[in-house]
């Protein structure tokens, strides 16, 4: 009888709890309408051209060497010939949709990520996990304006 009561209570709590954070599929991560994550280095060069700088970058978790391609207020990190992550700091790039870009009010995130927005931290960032790969997005803000959008590995 105790086992049945415990199991019933556990199931009730499990089903009534709602996730406190949102996730999104990596195919939705579009910069100015294009998906870059996982694309080839040549794809990056064909769409952005020659970078203002190309530096060697060490991916500590994977213990491999890659490159950081820096353009006008956007940087792409490439490992094994594929775009692994990126950071956006310029307002000429939209992200996911036309409402989200550098300088936008963080309330632009509320519609897409209601749970994460509601539970945002006081460290001025909102973190969103990717549902299909081990990466996450960080939206950093100051005075409620988005200042940086980054995609990182766990």
């Amino acid at each position: 009888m105790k086992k049945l009561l415990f199991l019933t209570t556990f199931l009730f709590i499990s089903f009534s709890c709602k996730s406190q954070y949102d996730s999104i599929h990596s195919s939705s991560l579009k910069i100015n309408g294009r998906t870059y994550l996982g694309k080839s280095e040549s794809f990056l060069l064909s769409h952005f051209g020659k970078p203002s700088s190309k530096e060697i970058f060490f991916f500590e978790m994977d213990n491999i060497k890659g490159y950081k391609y820096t353009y006008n207020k956007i940087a792409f990190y490439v490992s094994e010939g594929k775009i692994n992550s990126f950071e956006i700091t310029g307002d000429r790039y939209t992200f996911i949709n036309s409402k989200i870009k550098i300088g936008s009010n963080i309330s632009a995130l509320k519609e897409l990520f209601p749970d994460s927005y509601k539970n945002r931290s006081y460290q001025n960032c909102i973190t969103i996990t990717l549902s299909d790969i081990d990466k996450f997005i960080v939206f950093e803000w100051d005075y409620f304006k988005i200042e940086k959008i980054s995609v990182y590995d766990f």
Side-chain angles (χ1 to χ4, degrees):
M1 187 67 169
K2 286 184 181 181
K3 287 182 182 179
L4 181 61
L5 180 61
F6 174 75
L7 182 61
T8 305
T9 304
F10 177 75
L11 290 174
F12 175 76
I13 291 170
S14 296
F15 288 117
S16 64
C17 290
K18 187 176 178 189
S19 172
Q20 294 181 346
Y21 299 97
D22 301 287
S23 64
I24 189 170
H25 195 275
S26 65
S27 64
S28 298
L29 305 186
K30 297 183 185 303
I31 300 169
N32 291 350
R34 285 201 167 90
T35 303
Y36 288 90
L37 197 61
K39 299 289 186 180
S40 69
E41 188 172 11
S42 61
F43 181 84
L44 173 64
L45 294 172
S46 71
H47 286 88
F48 273 86
K50 183 180 177 188
S52 56
S53 72
K54 178 182 176 182
E55 307 166 34
I56 294 174
F57 184 84
F58 189 71
F59 291 86
E60 293 178 12
M61 295 298 287
D62 298 324
N63 198 28
I64 58 172
K65 181 182 81 167
Y67 296 96
K68 177 182 178 184
Y69 288 81
T70 304
Y71 293 91
N72 185 16
K73 297 193 176 191
I74 190 167
F76 294 90
Y77 296 86
V78 176
S79 67
E80 299 177 337
K82 302 279 184 195
I83 299 170
N84 180 286
S85 56
F86 53 83
E87 295 176 340
I88 303 170
T89 56
D91 64 359
R92 59 189 284 197
Y93 309 104
T94 59
F95 184 66
I96 301 173
N97 66 35
S98 61
K99 295 178 186 176
I100 301 173
K101 65 183 199 172
I102 302 304
S104 296
N105 191 290
I106 63 166
S107 63
L109 303 173
K110 188 176 185 177
E111 184 178 318
L112 277 176
F113 310 112
D115 293 329
S116 298
Y117 182 82
K118 182 175 64 179
N119 295 304
R120 65 190 180 276
S121 72
Y122 293 99
Q123 282 85 31
N124 292 2
C125 68
I126 293 175
T127 303
I128 311 295
T129 58
L130 299 185
S131 59
D132 58 320
I133 55 178
D134 289 335
K135 295 184 185 299
F136 61 98
I137 310 165
V138 177
F139 295 94
E140 298 176 44
W141 77 81
D142 196 22
Y143 297 103
F144 299 98
K145 299 288 184 190
I146 299 171
E147 288 193 334
K148 185 177 180 182
I149 303 167
S150 308
V151 173
Y152 298 114
D153 289 326
F154 275 112

